[in-house]
Amino acid sequence: QVRLVESGGGLVQAGGSLSLSCAASGLTFSTTTMGWFRQAPGKEREFLASISWKGFNTFYADSVKGRFTISRDNAKYMVFLQMNSLNLEDTAVYYCAGATDYGLSSRAERYDVWGQGTQVTVSS
């Protein structure tokens, strides 16, 4: 069974940092492009970052570039999102996603495996 499980969400003060993790199972992780998305209440799902198979290439949304860092550990079937300088607008449910047939992409429809999401809340 293909599965992605996010962890690491929680409550953090504005200006703080948080690190999200995503554990993958049931898929050929080393040949799956991985990405992070988020969805705030009343808003559409938003692309954040994507990382290539071996982690050599990354792609970020302008809204998080310079603040968020995506990385992966293929030996552990894990992908991570380090989030720094968080602000109130970063409050959302964060999703890990895998694209088994595409390279780096910001398009949600190219990701065919999704986690259940983890809540991140930034307080003032």
Side-chain angles (χ1 to χ4, degrees), residues 37-48:
F37 292 75
R38 68 185 178 190
Q39 188 165 19
K43 294 187 176 181
E44 293 186 353
R45 188 164 295 190
E46 176 189 12
F47 166 77
L48 300 176

Side-chain angles (χ1 to χ4, degrees), residues 14-122:
S17 298
L18 207 58
S19 182
L20 303 182
S21 299
C22 173
S25 60
L27 74 167
T28 307
F29 187 73
S30 60
T31 58
T32 299
T33 297
M34 297 300 297
W36 284 95
F37 292 75
R38 68 185 178 190
Q39 188 165 19
K43 294 187 176 181
E44 293 186 353
R45 188 164 295 190
E46 176 189 12
F47 166 77
L48 300 176
S50 181
I51 188 166
S52 60
W53 294 359
K54 295 186 177 181
F56 293 154
N57 298 301
T58 56
F59 175 44
Y60 294 93
D62 288 343
S63 60
V64 303
K65 195 175 297 182
R67 297 191 301 126
F68 290 11
T69 302
I70 188 171
S71 61
R72 66 190 295 164
D73 185 337
N74 285 354
K76 296 182 179 179
Y77 278 54
M78 298 284 292
V79 63
F80 309 96
L81 187 68
Q82 176 65 40
M83 305 185 294
N84 299 326
S85 302
L86 288 163
N87 56 59
L88 300 180
E89 290 69 38
D90 293 318
T91 294
V93 177
Y94 283 68
Y95 297 91
C96 169
T100 57
D101 293 326
Y102 290 95
L104 294 179
S105 178
S106 62
R107 297 170 61 176
E109 62 268 27
R110 290 189 170 180
Y111 292 80
D112 49 349
V113 183
W114 291 83
Q116 83 290 347
T118 186
Q119 176 70 45
V120 171
T121 302
V122 183

